[in-house]
Amino acid sequence: MIKKLFLLMGLFILTVFVIIFIENYFDQNYTLRYHQTIRNQEQKQKLEFVLKEQLLNIQLLFNSYSSVRHPQQLANTHVEIREKINNCINLLNILDQGGRFQYRNRVNLTSADEIIEIISYERDQYTGTIPEVRELYAPIQDLQSLSARIAATMRGYLEADAAQAPAILETANFYLKQAESVFDRIYETERKIAYDIQSNVVSVNNTSINVLNRYNRLKYFGLILFSIVTGLVTYLIIVQISRIILVRKKAEANNAKLLMAVEQSPVAIMITNTRGITEYVNHSFVNKTGYTKKEIIGSRPYFFSNNGIYDFSEIVMATIQVGNKWSGEIETKDKAGKTYWEKVQISPVLNDENTISNFIIIREDITEKRLLTQSLNESIENLKNITDNLPVGVMLVDANHKIIEVNHTASKIMGFNSVEETINFVNSRDYHQLFEVMHQNSYNDFNSGVEVIALEERLTIKENNISRIILKNIIPIKNNNQTVKLEAFMDITAQKEIQQREAEANKAKSEFLANMSHEIRTPMNGIVGAAELLVRTRLTQEQYNILSVISRSCDNLITIVNDILDFSKIEARKMTIETNPFDIRKSIDYLMDQISFKSNEKRLNVMASVEDNVPVIVKGDEGRLLQVLMNLLGNAVKFTDIGEVVLRVDTESLKGKEVILHFSIEDTGIGIPPGKIEKIFESFTQADGSTTRQYGGTGLGTSISKMLVELMGGKIWVESPNPAVKDNEEFPGSVFHFTLPFLIEKGGKQEDIYRNRFAGLSVALLDNHPLGQLLLKKMLQTWGVEVHVADNHKILIELLKDNPDLDLIIADSHIEEVNKSDFVSGLRALHPDIRLILLMPENHSISAITHRGFNRIVYKPVKHSSLFSTIYDLFNPGKNGELSPAIADADEDDAEEERKKVLLVEDNLINQKIAEKMLSRLKYDVIIARNGQEAVDILEKDATSADLILMDIQMPVMNGLDATRAIRARNIFIPIIAMTANVLKGDREICIEAGMNDYIGKPVKIDLLEKMLNQWINKPLLKK
């Protein structure tokens, strides 16, 4: 140890000596040399400063040439410039090659005393020379030459007369400008020289600092290395001394840790000697048994018992004393006599000689675990009893379709008396022959995430005369670490038979209703047609009233038949919802057309408002939407005698490509009593269901509407009274609301083609109905129209006087002044070029005298498209083919047109006569065929014999569908319109698919027939 200390001291002295030697060597070889180099560069900086000073003095002398007025002064200036130029050249030589320069510097301007400084510079190998120094020789010598020229020129100037002096002075100025250019080049080069010198000084300084830093790092590294070596040697000595101490402390710590772990163990631990005498027990043993350590240590453990049958301790001791382990579950008691169960493990402890030194006994309380096991066994037994008695058959099947377990219900369904018989029979047969799959699908269970396979199978066991339809679910589960299938099934044979009977009953009901509809509509066609023909003849008032009753009764009967058919289809779940794009505003216009007949009869204001935020094109079931709206609007008109009916459409929400539209139908009718609101959507229910009720109907309209709305994914509700007229007790009104989801047509045009089309147009609106005024004004403003509103004739006159630039007046016929003969003439007198549009009900009598002078008439309810096309036609004549009707003079007659020919294919004689009369009344020639074959024969002889075909569907010999196919097969492409009593959903599509062009249902109204014929009679068809 002493030798190691002496070695450590020697290393320390050697390290100090080396550090002192290196420091002295560095001071001699590096520090002094770098200091000299830095000083030499500083001298070089002084030389550059003196050079710059000399150049400035030379420039000042050059500038003084222009002020010289005496020859001697001129000579002195020239000589002084030459001396300073020589000084500059001498300085350049010293900067380039090295040398000494004597610099004289005055103390101050007034004193003649001078300080002489010797500037010595040696060319050094570190910085080298500056190339720009040599570049200054030539421009400085140019200054010498220019000085001589300027001096000679100025001498001539001083001697010249007044006439020559300006020219000579101009020459001198020219030389001075050249000198300025030379000075610029010299100063630019001089700045580079100054920059290079300064860079060299900084570089040398930095190098000196870096070298000094490296030296210091080396010195400090030596000191650190010495410290590390010394510390390492010291550490090795200390480690050798303390190793034994650390080993002892570690052993003591491990023993303490082990003892603490044993003491704090949650299980009871005992240590005995080889004779079974207790030497140690831990804290858990004390807590569990209630005995203190003093009571147990020193005693031989005798805690085993087996309900007192026999002593067990001797058997245990005999086992462990030969070196074997023993474990078992023992029922024992604590000090208080409380019985509990323990799992006891006894192991021998071997010493270094591999002999038994002690026994360790671990006692774990398993009372709760035994209770849980017992409860689990009971639950398993209960689950087995429940499974066996479930009304559902349950089987556990392995991957090879062999039954592992089966319950009693499954055995009973398969016709067996016991579970064992069932397992033996099924496992001895082909599983798939017994269970034949009829339908299959699968789904993921949301809670468990397991894929469940749902099957509809036919179970066939010929030996037991079993052939049943079962509904089965298959779930994969684990059983003894193997994946098996849990198959649960139930017998649905009876349900299937009931469904079959229901399907047959629904089919029979549908066929019966379809036939009933056809059979009712066929004679109704004759009644309605005859009534319409009679109405157009000269009749007394009594005869006209009787025919009106007949017509209304027929309409009511058709409405009842339609309601019953729709209700039946919805109830039978045969109603399908289609998704097609359509223009919502055009649909509303069509609806206004349909409702106008009833509303005009009752002289009601029917209005529609579609908000700007409603998309133009949406995707949904247009037909079902119109059916719902027609039902609700029809009810609103039916139950409203005075006031108005308003349809509003707005956007409730817009999310992605889905839009939810809100429809509301407001009326000012009789309203719905509070007690009837909840039942208003029930089938065959009306607010007034008494035998004396005033209004007819089946009570299915609102029920069908509710079913259709919910089928389309919407919601419908009603509020009564109407908030707009809630104070009117006699006519409180009601508002029916419903919302429907639609898809926004992808890529479809969503711009409103009417928006701002009439920008700049000024219109006066004469209407005293507040709501109608508001909706019409809103519609016009959407088109860009400037709207002025007048409630009466007097205000309108004032508007015309105040606004001479008005383009158009729109007047409602329900204002009394509008119906006077001098109304139009009075307006024309104020504004001769004003255009006028009259709004009036379609069945209102038009007096040629009263309404003479109006440019156009728009029939109410006012449709969006009709009003737009009428205004467009007025201000763009000839550009719109669909013109609104104008009032002509009373004596004008329409030109006689060539009569078109219609081929009527109808087997019913009455319907033949009625249709023939209608067509004749509409100025068409009629050819009659009694069935489809006759029609084909007529057209085969002469394909041009008819301009249009009205085709019935159900006829003898050849029906209308086959006849149409035969006509199209012969390349005859004249328009064919189905005229049939088959009006169920899908009948129209069947007709179109057969080759027909359009469809009109019976009973046929003459107005609808006329519209249909006008649409197709002159329309050329392309070959398909």
Side-chain angles (χ1 to χ4, degrees):
M1 183 63 67
I2 295 174
K3 289 182 179 180
K4 291 181 180 179
L5 292 175
F6 278 118
L7 178 61
L8 182 62
M9 186 179 296
L11 288 173
F12 176 74
I13 294 171
L14 179 62
T15 303
V16 172
F17 175 76
V18 171
I19 291 172
I20 294 172
F21 174 78
I22 291 173
E23 187 171 4
N24 290 333
Y25 176 81
F26 180 82
D27 288 341
Q28 294 175 4
N29 291 277
Y30 289 96
T31 307
L32 293 176
R33 186 171 63 186
Y34 274 103
H35 285 171
Q36 291 174 358
T37 303
I38 292 169
R39 184 178 178 280
N40 192 42
Q41 291 299 317
E42 290 173 348
Q43 294 293 314
K44 195 174 184 180
Q45 275 185 315
K46 289 182 179 181
L47 289 171
E48 187 274 331
F49 173 76
V50 173
L51 174 62
K52 185 175 182 181
E53 183 182 41
Q54 294 294 322
L55 290 172
L56 289 171
N57 290 331
I58 292 170
Q59 188 175 18
L60 290 172
L61 291 170
F62 264 89
N63 291 336
S64 68
Y65 269 128
S66 60
S67 60
V68 171
R69 293 295 179 267
H70 193 275
Q72 185 59 43
Q73 184 183 3
L74 179 65
N76 292 338
T77 302
H78 179 62
V79 169
E80 189 174 356
I81 287 174
R82 185 170 58 213
E83 288 178 357
K84 291 189 179 296
I85 287 175
N86 290 334
N87 287 338
C88 288
I89 292 173
N90 186 24
L91 286 168
L92 290 174
N93 290 332
I94 294 172
L95 286 171
D96 188 35
Q97 302 297 331
R100 297 163 64 89
F101 183 79
Q102 189 176 16
Y103 176 59
R104 297 175 181 273
N105 191 10
R106 287 185 179 182
V107 177
N108 52 53
L109 294 176
T110 59
S111 175
D113 297 335
E114 292 181 337
I115 297 174
I116 299 174
E117 181 181 359
I118 305 298
I119 302 173
S120 177
Y121 168 69
E122 295 180 1
R123 183 177 179 183
D124 61 76
Q125 59 181 343
Y126 295 104
T127 60
T129 61
I130 300 174
E132 289 81 359
V133 172
R134 296 174 184 173
E135 294 178 4
L136 286 178
Y137 285 109
I140 290 174
Q141 290 173 356
D142 290 342
L143 290 175
Q144 180 72 35
S145 175
L146 286 170
S147 177
R149 291 178 187 177
I150 294 170
T153 304
M154 292 300 295
R155 192 178 298 114
Y157 171 75
L158 295 174
E159 296 173 355
D161 54 16
Q164 295 176 343
I168 296 172
L169 184 60
E170 185 177 354
T171 303
N173 289 332
F174 173 73
Y175 289 140
L176 285 173
K177 287 183 178 179
Q178 285 187 335
E180 288 179 2
S181 176
V182 172
F183 274 114
D184 289 340
R185 296 203 312 273
I186 289 172
Y187 285 140
E188 183 179 355
T189 305
E190 186 273 333
R191 285 193 294 271
K192 292 182 181 178
I193 293 170
Y195 174 76
D196 290 342
I197 293 171
Q198 181 64 31
S199 298
N200 290 335
V201 171
V202 172
S203 176
V204 171
N205 278 325
N206 290 338
T207 304
S208 174
I209 292 170
N210 291 335
V211 170
L212 182 61
N213 289 336
R214 285 198 300 270
Y215 164 72
N216 288 331
R217 285 197 296 270
L218 180 63
K219 181 171 65 177
Y220 293 142
F221 176 75
L223 292 173
I224 293 170
L225 181 64
F226 169 75
S227 301
I228 291 173
V229 172
T230 304
L232 181 62
V233 173
T234 305
Y235 172 75
L236 291 174
I237 295 172
I238 294 173
V239 166
Q240 289 178 357
I241 297 172
S242 62
R243 183 172 294 172
I244 297 173
I245 299 173
L246 291 174
V247 169
R248 285 185 178 180
K249 286 185 177 181
K250 186 175 181 181
E252 291 174 359
N254 287 336
N255 290 335
K257 190 184 296 183
L258 180 61
L259 181 61
M260 187 179 297
V262 172
E263 186 67 24
Q264 297 179 4
S265 174
V267 297
I269 298 175
M270 301 177 65
I271 298 176
T272 68
N273 60 18
T274 55
R275 293 180 294 113
I277 304 300
T278 303
E279 295 181 349
Y280 169 81
V281 294
N282 68 349
H283 189 65
S284 295
F285 179 89
V286 174
N287 290 338
K288 187 64 183 175
T289 62
Y291 294 100
T292 64
K293 290 186 177 182
K294 290 182 179 180
E295 292 174 334
I296 297 299
I297 294 174
S299 64
R300 189 171 185 268
Y302 185 78
F303 54 90
F304 307 108
S305 65
N306 193 15
N307 295 326
I309 298 175
Y310 55 85
D311 191 0
F312 202 50
S313 61
E314 295 298 331
I315 299 174
V316 173
M317 288 299 295
T319 302
I320 62 177
Q321 283 180 347
V322 296
N324 296 326
K325 296 179 181 180
W326 184 91
S327 64
E329 294 181 0
I330 306 298
E331 185 182 27
T332 187
K333 296 181 179 180
D334 59 12
K335 186 177 180 180
K338 180 181 177 181
T339 302
Y340 63 94
W341 281 87
E342 287 184 327
K343 182 178 181 181
V344 180
Q345 296 179 344
I346 306 176
S347 299
V349 179
L350 303 178
N351 56 20
D352 294 337
E353 288 78 19
N354 202 26
T355 60
I356 298 174
S357 63
N358 296 93
F359 295 108
I360 183 169
I361 305 170
I362 299 174
R363 302 170 62 180
E364 180 183 1
D365 187 353
I366 60 169
T367 306
E368 186 175 353
K369 186 184 295 184
R370 284 179 66 90
L371 292 174
L372 288 174
T373 303
Q374 183 179 356
S375 176
L376 179 61
N377 291 332
E378 291 175 355
S379 298
I380 292 172
E381 185 64 26
N382 292 333
L383 181 61
K384 188 175 184 305
N385 292 332
I386 292 171
T387 303
D388 284 339
N389 293 282
L390 278 175
V392 177
V394 179
M395 296 190 302
L396 207 59
V397 181
D398 63 15
N400 298 320
H401 293 97
K402 298 298 182 183
I403 296 180
I404 301 172
E405 294 182 22
V406 64
N407 70 345
H408 291 293
T409 305
S411 299
K412 185 177 179 182
I413 292 174
M414 288 187 276
F416 296 102
N417 296 323
S418 67
V419 170
E420 293 76 12
E421 187 181 1
T422 305
I423 295 175
N424 294 333
F425 180 87
V426 175
N427 288 345
S428 64
R429 302 292 193 279
D430 185 356
Y431 178 89
H432 296 292
Q433 288 183 356
L434 301 178
F435 299 93
E436 180 186 355
V437 177
M438 300 170 64
H439 300 289
Q440 176 177 339
N441 57 28
S442 61
Y443 62 92
N444 286 322
D445 184 71
F446 179 77
N447 294 320
S448 64
V450 175
E451 183 181 16
V452 180
I453 300 175
L455 303 173
E456 186 177 312
E457 296 180 335
R458 178 170 291 280
L459 171 63
T460 304
I461 299 179
K462 298 178 180 178
E463 290 78 356
N464 295 341
N465 294 321
I466 297 295
S467 178
R468 295 173 176 172
I469 298 175
I470 60 173
L471 188 64
K472 179 189 290 184
N473 280 2
I474 301 178
I475 305 171
I477 62 171
K478 287 286 186 179
N479 182 45
N480 296 329
N481 294 324
Q482 292 183 353
T483 301
V484 297
K485 296 177 182 178
L486 178 65
E487 299 186 358
F489 60 91
M490 61 185 299
D491 185 2
I492 60 169
T493 307
Q495 292 90 323
K496 280 292 182 179
E497 292 176 354
I498 293 172
Q499 288 178 3
Q500 181 66 26
R501 287 196 295 269
E502 287 180 351
E504 292 174 356
N506 286 332
K507 181 180 179 182
K509 182 170 67 174
S510 298
E511 291 176 354
F512 168 75
L513 290 173
N515 291 330
M516 180 193 72
S517 171
H518 185 274
E519 294 304 321
I520 291 174
R521 287 173 184 275
T522 299
M524 285 293 293
N525 184 57
I527 298 170
V528 172
E532 286 205 336
L533 289 172
L534 284 173
V535 166
R536 295 172 181 261
T537 63
R538 294 182 179 275
L539 299 172
T540 64
Q541 185 63 40
E542 183 179 1
Q543 291 171 335
Y544 180 81
N545 292 339
I546 292 172
L547 286 174
S548 297
V549 171
I550 294 173
S551 180
R552 289 181 182 176
S553 299
C554 292
D555 290 342
N556 291 337
L557 182 57
I558 293 302
T559 301
I560 292 170
V561 172
N562 289 338
D563 286 349
I564 292 173
L565 289 174
D566 284 338
F567 181 78
S568 175
K569 290 185 69 176
I570 296 173
E571 194 180 46
R573 298 180 182 178
K574 291 189 176 182
M575 185 71 73
T576 57
I577 300 301
E578 300 175 353
T579 303
N580 295 302
F582 64 94
D583 187 330
I584 191 74
R585 288 168 176 80
K586 289 184 178 179
S587 300
I588 298 301
D589 282 351
Y590 168 79
L591 194 65
M592 292 297 101
D593 259 345
Q594 298 301 308
I595 204 68
S596 63
F597 300 107
K598 294 181 180 179
S599 63
N600 289 335
E601 283 181 3
K602 302 182 75 170
R603 295 188 176 265
L604 295 175
N605 280 322
V606 177
M607 294 162 281
S609 173
V610 182
E611 295 297 329
D612 293 341
N613 58 16
V614 175
V616 178
I617 305 296
V618 296
K619 291 182 72 174
D621 196 327
E622 180 186 19
R624 296 305 175 194
L625 171 63
L626 290 176
Q627 185 176 353
V628 173
L629 288 172
M630 196 65 191
N631 279 344
L632 298 179
L633 276 172
N635 281 345
V637 171
K638 180 168 67 172
F639 294 109
T640 303
D641 295 325
I642 299 173
E644 63 201 29
V645 175
V646 182
L647 166 62
R648 300 181 189 270
V649 186
D650 195 0
T651 296
E652 182 170 281
S653 66
L654 178 62
K655 186 177 182 181
K657 295 181 181 179
E658 184 180 81
V659 61
I660 296 180
L661 299 184
H662 180 195
F663 299 83
S664 62
I665 297 90
E666 306 172 12
D667 65 60
T668 58
I670 62 174
I672 304 170
K676 298 290 186 178
I677 288 181
E678 292 185 3
K679 299 181 179 181
I680 198 67
F681 293 109
E682 293 181 4
S683 305
F684 305 102
T685 300
Q686 285 190 340
D688 180 11
S690 66
T691 57
T692 60
R693 60 190 174 99
Q694 178 182 355
Y695 305 97
T698 61
L700 288 175
T702 53
S703 176
I704 292 171
S705 298
K706 181 177 184 295
M707 291 177 178
L708 289 175
V709 167
E710 292 176 351
L711 197 60
M712 291 186 283
K715 178 184 177 183
I716 187 170
W717 70 98
V718 64
E719 59 177 323
S720 182
N722 183 348
V725 292
K726 60 182 179 181
D727 296 331
N728 190 329
E729 295 182 0
E730 186 178 1
F731 299 106
S734 59
V735 184
F736 279 81
H737 302 266
F738 68 92
T739 57
L740 284 178
F742 295 93
L743 296 176
I744 299 176
E745 174 70 353
K746 184 179 180 182
K749 186 176 181 182
Q750 291 296 337
E751 296 180 1
D752 188 353
I753 61 173
Y754 302 113
R755 183 175 295 279
N756 296 325
R757 289 291 297 276
F758 295 141
L761 195 66
S762 182
V763 175
L765 177 61
L766 178 59
D767 191 351
N768 60 5
H769 189 280
L771 183 59
Q773 189 183 93
L774 176 66
L775 296 180
L776 197 55
K777 180 180 178 181
K778 180 181 176 183
M779 184 189 300
L780 292 168
Q781 287 176 338
T782 302
W783 300 340
V785 175
E786 180 186 357
V787 183
H788 304 273
V789 178
D791 293 332
N792 53 57
H793 182 255
K794 183 178 179 181
I795 296 176
L796 179 63
I797 297 299
E798 294 298 327
L799 279 176
L800 279 174
K801 292 178 180 179
D802 296 339
N803 299 275
D805 57 343
L806 280 173
D807 301 299
L808 174 66
I809 295 174
I810 301 176
D812 199 307
S813 64
H814 67 255
I815 294 179
E816 184 178 353
E817 288 85 351
V818 174
N819 298 300
K820 293 181 180 180
S821 58
D822 59 346
F823 175 75
V824 175
S825 59
L827 298 178
R828 298 284 189 201
L830 292 173
H831 198 318
D833 297 327
I834 195 77
R835 294 174 174 84
L836 292 96
I837 293 177
L838 178 64
L839 307 181
M840 64 182 300
E842 190 169 359
N843 60 354
H844 191 281
S845 59
I846 301 175
S847 169
I849 297 175
T850 302
H851 298 139
R852 184 192 300 275
F854 279 98
N855 298 90
R856 293 289 186 272
I857 288 179
V858 174
Y859 293 118
K860 297 169 66 176
V862 178
K863 293 179 294 182
H864 189 274
S865 57
S866 297
L867 183 58
F868 180 89
S869 61
T870 302
I871 297 174
Y872 184 87
D873 177 51
L874 275 177
F875 293 93
N876 299 274
K879 293 186 178 181
N880 187 356
E882 296 180 1
L883 302 180
S884 301
I887 299 298
D889 294 336
D891 55 353
E892 282 190 15
D893 293 326
D894 295 333
E896 189 71 24
E897 296 181 357
E898 181 184 355
R899 293 171 71 94
K900 299 291 184 179
K901 291 175 287 186
V902 175
L903 175 58
L904 175 63
V905 187
E906 172 64 63
D907 64 314
N908 187 281
L909 185 60
I910 295 175
N911 288 339
Q912 283 181 11
K913 297 296 183 183
I914 295 298
E916 183 181 11
K917 291 290 184 183
M918 284 185 175
L919 292 169
S920 298
R921 181 65 58 87
L922 296 175
K923 298 182 180 179
Y924 289 100
D925 291 336
V926 183
I927 305 170
I928 296 177
R930 292 174 296 178
N931 54 61
Q933 186 61 56
E934 287 187 8
V936 174
D937 295 340
I938 291 171
L939 293 173
E940 271 188 329
K941 293 177 182 177
D942 184 5
T944 62
S945 59
D947 298 295
L948 183 141
I949 303 172
L950 290 175
M951 181 76 72
D952 191 16
I953 300 300
Q954 293 187 6
M955 294 181 291
V957 184
M958 180 183 287
N959 62 45
L961 299 176
D962 292 338
T964 301
R965 295 187 187 99
I967 291 169
R968 297 305 186 209
R970 288 162 174 76
N971 292 325
I972 300 173
F973 293 99
I974 61 176
I976 302 177
I977 298 173
M979 187 171 67
T980 176
N982 296 342
V983 294
L984 294 179
K985 179 72 174 177
D987 288 336
R988 186 181 191 280
E989 288 73 13
I990 294 172
C991 295
I992 300 300
E993 185 179 351
M996 297 185 184
N997 303 101
D998 216 327
Y999 173 96
I1000 185 170
K1002 294 179 182 178
V1004 178
K1005 298 289 186 72
I1006 191 168
D1007 293 332
L1008 295 176
L1009 179 61
E1010 181 180 19
K1011 184 177 179 180
M1012 184 73 70
L1013 293 174
N1014 289 337
Q1015 179 182 349
W1016 289 102
I1017 195 70
N1018 294 315
K1019 189 172 184 178
L1021 297 181
L1022 297 177
K1023 294 184 179 181
K1024 298 184 181 180

